[in-house]
Amino acid sequence: MEARKVAVAGVLMLLGAGDAGAVPQFSQRAFSQDARSSAPPPAALSAGEVLAILRRCLSQQPDVRLSLYVGLHRAVTDMPHLAVDVLSVLEPHFSKYFDPDGAQRNPFRTSLCLEQQSGAQGVHTLVEPLPQLLAVVCRCVSVSSAQAGAASDARLQHLGGALREACARLSRAELDDFGLSRASDMNPATAAGSRNLMTAATIVCCIEVLMEFVFSGGERSMESCNLIVALFHRRDALMALARDAHAAPAAAPATAAATATAATAADAHINSGVHSIEFAAAFCRFMFSDNDPHNLSAQNVLRAEKPLLRMAAGLAVQCPDTAPALDAPMPDRVFVNACLLGRTLVHDVAMAQQMRVASTGPAAKEKVRALLFYLREANNKTF
């Protein structure tokens, strides 16, 4: 498993190793005495050929696919011209889990993302990291819409429209659209409970990805802000079910270990850092420190939701543990967004009393810890 993840990371590095999408192809012969003679230089792999190699990773274990999605998200962010090619690799796989034209308000086939384990309890585990896959697809659509050539791609336009329709469908969804209810078994040590808990966790993360998608492409309009609030309400309802799982009575000794394992898996899934540092910086700045009068009406829609304010502040606090790790090979971008988040945290402290979120927001020491992280990132920047 670890060897395969290392191999994925190595191939992903090739995407950024060459100029104009071409990367060098290394072989033992290239380092031999014969190769140092008059032999021609080795051929170059195009970005398309590298992606063709990476396509094989889609049949590997979930952790390997997770590494692939995180790496492709990073690659598309840093090299937007790869978006259409990356999308051509991922779209057939993504279509297994996404229902673009269905009448159901839940556009995701979450049952296919879970697998029941053998054993007495038969708990369910995640076998497809759908939120991270969705994040790559959304990033491809978002960055491609700004490119003249890609914007005319019919497949891209269709998928972009399907994702926007999925947001609208999810904004109207109720718990029963996900096969859940207030009375659902959420015990992570049982087959039904673990399935329900992982379903809720998966949808929560997918909603967060779509909130970023709407915010990034909505031009800060009233319509997009209202949609973000509606999606956030669905996220909150599902989060309440997940919290209820932790508030349930203690499990019997025989199932305590399974309960802890499944609950930890759900927590890790929800806290897996699906948001990019760009979104964290832009969203926090818009919520807390953007003084553009043209944005005031849209800001008021978001600021009226106190839980959403707490989520925005929480994004800045959580980024040291999530988003910067994804963006580590790109210090320029981390530095710029770290500065924005640091300034936002300072502004948040200054305006917290006015917004009345300080007492219920992240602990002050966590804000200080995050601020120190961003200051350290800025201090370590090499120009």
Side-chain angles (χ1 to χ4, degrees):
M1 170 79 74
E2 290 304 316
R4 292 178 180 179
K5 291 168 68 175
V6 170
V8 169
V11 177
L12 282 165
M13 288 177 64
L14 296 178
L15 285 175
D19 296 328
V23 296
Q25 183 179 40
F26 298 104
S27 66
Q28 288 184 345
R29 179 174 172 79
F31 296 97
S32 69
Q33 181 65 35
D34 292 339
R36 289 196 298 268
S37 62
S38 58
L45 288 175
S46 68
E49 289 171 322
V50 175
L51 290 171
I53 296 172
L54 290 172
R55 189 194 301 269
R56 303 173 189 172
C57 300
L58 295 174
S59 61
Q60 298 297 322
Q61 296 95 326
D63 283 351
V64 177
R65 293 199 302 278
L66 178 60
S67 297
L68 173 67
Y69 301 153
V70 170
L72 288 176
H73 188 281
R74 179 188 304 145
V76 171
T77 299
D78 200 39
M79 297 169 284
H81 64 275
L82 294 177
V84 174
D85 289 334
V86 169
L87 195 60
S88 67
V89 170
L90 294 181
E91 188 180 16
H93 184 70
F94 178 63
S95 65
K96 299 176 186 177
Y97 310 100
F98 180 62
D99 180 14
D101 305 312
Q104 300 298 320
R105 284 180 285 192
N106 174 17
F108 302 113
R109 303 184 179 104
T110 49
S111 62
L112 300 181
C113 300
L114 306 177
E115 185 176 88
Q116 188 171 14
Q117 301 298 299
S118 59
Q121 284 77 36
V123 298
H124 288 74
T125 58
L126 190 73
V127 294
E128 176 56 47
L130 179 60
Q132 286 76 17
L133 172 59
L134 176 63
V136 185
V137 172
C138 287
R139 178 55 61 96
C140 288
V141 172
S142 295
V143 302
S144 296
S145 62
Q147 300 180 64
S152 61
D153 187 276
R155 182 186 65 238
L156 193 65
Q157 288 185 343
H158 175 75
L159 184 56
L163 287 171
R164 288 185 285 273
E165 177 60 25
C167 294
R169 288 159 60 188
L170 270 174
S171 71
R172 301 188 296 269
E174 302 295 340
L175 288 177
D176 57 359
D177 290 306
F178 309 115
L180 301 170
S181 71
R182 295 285 183 187
S184 292
D185 177 12
M186 301 298 286
N187 183 350
T190 67
S194 62
R195 181 191 66 239
N196 293 336
L197 185 59
M198 291 305 297
T199 296
T202 299
I203 296 295
V204 163
C205 293
C206 287
I207 288 176
E208 291 185 351
V209 171
L210 291 176
M211 288 172 65
E212 176 172 347
F213 177 71
V214 172
F215 181 79
S216 301
E219 299 180 351
R220 316 296 190 264
S221 66
M222 286 285 291
E223 181 182 3
S224 65
C225 288
N226 279 317
L227 183 53
I228 288 171
V229 169
L231 288 171
F232 180 76
H233 288 165
R234 302 308 176 270
R235 170 193 178 274
D236 247 15
L238 290 163
M239 287 288 285
L241 289 182
R243 286 193 296 267
D244 289 345
H246 294 287
T255 61
T259 301
T261 300
T264 299
D267 280 346
H269 191 32
I270 290 177
N271 297 315
S272 57
V274 293
H275 289 304
S276 67
I277 191 171
E278 289 86 358
F279 170 72
F283 191 65
C284 289
R285 182 178 183 277
F286 185 74
M287 291 285 281
F288 292 110
S289 58
D290 187 340
N291 296 318
D292 187 340
H294 296 95
N295 293 333
L296 184 59
S297 296
Q299 285 172 319
N300 287 339
V301 170
L302 299 179
R303 289 175 175 173
E305 300 291 327
K306 293 301 190 294
L308 187 57
L309 284 171
R310 291 192 288 272
M311 175 187 164
L315 279 176
V317 172
Q318 292 166 10
C319 269
D321 301 319
T322 56
L326 302 182
D327 297 322
M330 292 162 281
D332 287 353
R333 205 170 74 247
V334 173
F335 173 69
V336 170
N337 289 287
C339 289
L340 284 173
L341 280 166
R343 287 161 55 188
T344 297
L345 283 170
V346 172
H347 196 279
D348 177 32
V349 171
M351 70 182 297
Q353 192 170 26
Q354 175 186 352
M355 300 300 298
R356 299 185 181 277
V357 297
S359 60
T360 51
K365 65 180 182 180
E366 288 300 305
K367 288 188 179 182
V368 171
R369 182 185 71 86
L371 180 56
L372 289 175
F373 171 86
Y374 297 125
L375 292 175
R376 187 185 73 236
E377 287 292 310
N379 186 57
N380 291 340
K381 168 67 179 172
T382 301
F383 291 97

